[in-house]
Amino acid sequence: MSPILALCASVIIGTGAALQHRAASEEDPHAVMDPRLIFRLLRRRTWVLGITTSILGFVLQASAIATGRLVVIAPIMTLNVLVALVVSARHAGRR
């Protein structure tokens, strides 16, 4: 059961990261150090959905680690990077 939780967590975390990136990339690149940036991002539904999705993924990840062996769960969790790349590429219209 814990590998399935880890796989679900990877997909959810990767999707959340892609959503956050999508919303943040629409901001002015020169505003990175602007303290008001977080407030502008909080007004973007895509970014808030990305954060919420990531939190859900982290809860699933914690559940997978609590119920399974880390040596099995950790490699599965690295799939979130691949998921984030695929989701971001789809959004950008790339294959």
Side-chain angles (χ1 to χ4, degrees):
M1 182 70 175
S2 53
I4 294 170
L5 282 173
L7 184 60
C8 291
S10 287
V11 170
I12 291 171
I13 291 170
T15 303
L19 290 171
Q20 291 172 55
H21 179 265
R22 178 176 160 187
S25 66
E26 295 170 356
E27 287 292 327
D28 178 21
H30 296 94
V32 173
M33 297 303 290
D34 185 0
R36 295 171 294 194
L37 176 62
I38 189 73
F39 297 110
R40 287 195 305 272
L41 288 172
L42 281 170
R43 288 192 292 258
R44 292 183 175 267
R45 288 184 184 171
T46 306
W47 192 80
V48 173
L49 180 63
I51 288 290
T52 306
T53 304
S54 292
I55 291 169
L56 174 62
F58 294 139
V59 169
L60 288 176
Q61 179 182 13
S63 298
I65 291 171
T67 60
R69 298 183 60 189
L70 186 59
V71 72
V72 174
I73 302 304
I76 296 171
M77 290 306 304
T78 61
L79 293 174
N80 71 54
V81 176
L82 180 61
V83 171
L85 287 171
V86 170
V87 172
S88 292
R90 287 272 183 172
H91 168 67
R94 289 181 253 151
R95 290 184 163 192

